[in-house]
Amino acid sequence: METKVLNTLEINKAVDILKSGGIVAIPTETVYGLAANALDGNAVSKIFKAKGRPMDNPLIVHIADMGAINILCSNFPDKARKLTEKFWPGPLTIILPKSNIIPDEVSAGLDTVAVRFPSHKITQDIIKESGLFLAAPSANKSGSPSPTSALHVFKDLNGKIDAIVDGGECEVGLESTVITFANDKPKLLRPGKVTINEIENVIGKIDIDDSVYNKLKENVIPSSPGMKYKHYAPSAKIILINSDSEKYIDYVNNHKDSGVVALCYDEDIDNLNVPCISYGKLDDSKEQASKIFSCLRKIDDLNAKVAYARCPKKDGVGLAVYNRLIRAAGFEVINIE
Ligand code: AMP
Ligand code: MG
């Protein structure tokens, strides 16, 4: 199949493809999403095929008006409503009991559905002009780093999808924060730009799923099926180094070898004796979030074998960066006191 690359003045073409059951990669404020008509199970199944995504991993449905909630969901708890009032449109996904209209392909057989109202103007225009709800996971090959530019999507999915709308670089650069209302107490399943603190300021204490910090234990059924799969990983091996700057630099310089690169902060570059890929300034978690996925891709562009990565901070938006990097590293961390 030929994959058309469309500019933002051609979204009518993207809309036509979506309305006729095709799949199109679209820009959002988080990462590029691979979209299909969420109410057409056949169209949605094309997403799984193109990405190589396991069929038991459910999708987020994207909406552009609040009326959609009543159509897609059977219950809208007060706390969930409060969060949408504060953070929508924006990078927050809420999981609610689903209505009968949701095809099994979207919810992967669960009795819930994940919903998000994106803030990106182009995403909203595509949803509104199509008159559809759009199921859209990240538009990458399953397992590889999420795409934050049209070029990333093209490299992963050219020939497998109908079109890509090129809307430039994604602002946030990490996927949405995901919170579930499937149980009595709201629970964070995936950290993102909307932080735990910001959420708790609106609805009080929430639970945090263990998988946010840790590898899923064997024989445990994950709250979010996506958590059990390998994620965000380039071909090179990533090893997280949890230490201060000085010890990180010493460690990397002592392990200088062919094929070794450093995934570091701007401040580390001058002192490192290996090729460096910086994912931002030490104290700027938002910048790190916006760069981390393209940096993970650059590691492979350099044909590196091993990347020693500075361990990000685990608070605020830093927690989301940490959550992605630790998965990219297959949970391999070296702690240096
Ligand atoms: P992505 O498709 O890359 O944006 O990831 C979406 C994440 O949300 C995956 O980890 C999914 O497993 C998770 N997810 C989507 N729908 C649900 C649901 N109904 N219940 C639990 N997790 C969900
Ligand atoms: Mg994904």
Side-chain angles (χ1 to χ4, degrees):
M1 147 193 324
E2 188 212 346
T3 299
K4 294 190 187 72
V5 180
L6 306 172
N7 64 46
T8 53
L9 299 174
E10 298 175 300
I11 63 172
N12 59 318
K13 293 184 186 162
V15 164
D16 286 346
I17 295 169
L18 290 165
K19 281 164 84 174
S20 58
I23 53 174
V24 181
I26 59 173
T28 82
E29 71 274 23
T30 57
V31 301
Y32 274 73
L34 180 57
N37 176 359
L39 302 187
D40 176 349
N42 186 41
V44 171
S45 65
K46 293 180 189 169
I47 293 177
F48 287 86
K49 188 157 176 257
K51 277 179 62 85
R53 183 176 174 105
M55 291 300 290
D56 67 351
N57 193 3
L59 305 181
I60 297 170
V61 179
H62 296 75
I63 63 173
D65 76 277
M66 287 305 290
I69 291 276
N70 290 329
I71 302 170
L72 301 171
C73 309
S74 62
N75 187 19
F76 191 22
D78 211 37
K79 285 187 176 177
R81 187 182 47 73
K82 283 197 175 123
L83 286 185
T84 63
E85 282 168 4
K86 175 79 182 172
F87 299 110
W88 278 6
L92 176 75
T93 295
I94 54 171
I95 295 176
L96 297 170
K98 68 171 191 179
S99 74
N100 293 335
I101 206 172
I102 304 291
D104 276 346
E105 287 84 353
V106 170
S107 56
L110 299 175
D111 51 14
T112 50
V113 63
V115 186
R116 184 165 97 81
F117 187 155
S119 61
H120 197 294
K121 172 84 169 60
I122 301 295
T123 330
Q124 289 187 2
D125 286 350
I126 293 172
I127 298 171
K128 283 186 196 148
E129 280 190 33
S130 65
L132 303 171
F133 309 120
L134 295 180
S138 49
N140 54 309
K141 202 167 55 187
S142 211
S144 71
S146 298
T148 55
S149 73
L151 184 63
H152 295 162
V153 180
F154 188 83
K155 284 187 171 164
D156 272 17
L157 299 177
N158 180 32
K160 296 187 169 146
I161 63 178
D162 295 296
I164 303 169
V165 178
D166 186 349
E169 307 247 321
C170 300
E171 189 195 327
V172 177
L174 291 181
E175 309 88 338
S176 56
T177 305
V178 178
I179 184 164
T180 180
F181 289 86
N183 311 305
D184 287 344
K185 195 168 176 198
K187 190 188 222 186
L188 184 90
L189 300 184
R190 179 171 74 187
K193 180 171 178 244
V194 177
T195 64
I196 296 171
N197 256 343
E198 288 173 324
I199 291 173
E200 291 189 333
N201 283 341
V202 179
I203 60 168
K205 210 78 194 130
I206 58 169
D207 286 337
I208 314 291
D209 197 67
D210 191 45
S211 67
V212 168
Y213 296 97
N214 300 310
K215 189 174 182 174
L216 193 71
K217 296 185 182 67
E218 268 172 48
N219 305 323
V220 171
I221 297 172
S223 313
S224 185
M227 293 302 168
K228 65 176 183 256
Y229 295 109
K230 184 174 164 237
H231 246 107
Y232 317 124
S235 308
K237 187 175 175 62
I238 310 284
I239 300 171
L240 273 187
I241 308 292
N242 187 20
S243 71
D244 62 21
S245 300
E246 204 179 318
K247 293 191 178 105
Y248 170 73
I249 288 161
D250 276 354
Y251 185 91
V252 176
N253 286 341
N254 285 329
H255 289 78
K256 183 179 167 185
D257 212 338
S258 80
V260 165
V261 300
L263 181 60
C264 61
Y265 295 143
D266 289 356
E267 290 85 345
D268 303 325
I269 293 175
D270 287 347
N271 295 310
L272 285 162
N273 297 330
V274 301
C276 293
I277 299 169
S278 167
Y279 69 103
K281 287 182 284 303
L282 171 74
D283 281 325
D284 193 342
S285 295
K286 281 194 184 153
E287 183 194 13
Q288 294 168 24
S290 71
K291 289 185 171 170
I292 190 67
F293 283 136
S294 63
C295 286
L296 287 171
R297 285 174 181 262
K298 275 185 206 151
I299 293 171
D300 280 349
D301 294 343
L302 291 181
N303 284 322
K305 292 197 192 79
V306 178
Y308 292 113
R310 264 311 276 272
C311 187
K313 293 185 181 152
K314 299 183 193 101
D315 57 0
V317 181
L319 177 63
V321 182
Y322 172 76
N323 170 274
R324 307 311 191 272
L325 252 183
I326 195 144
R327 281 176 171 71
F331 292 87
E332 190 159 344
V333 183
I334 296 174
N335 292 297
I336 309 175
E337 294 300 317

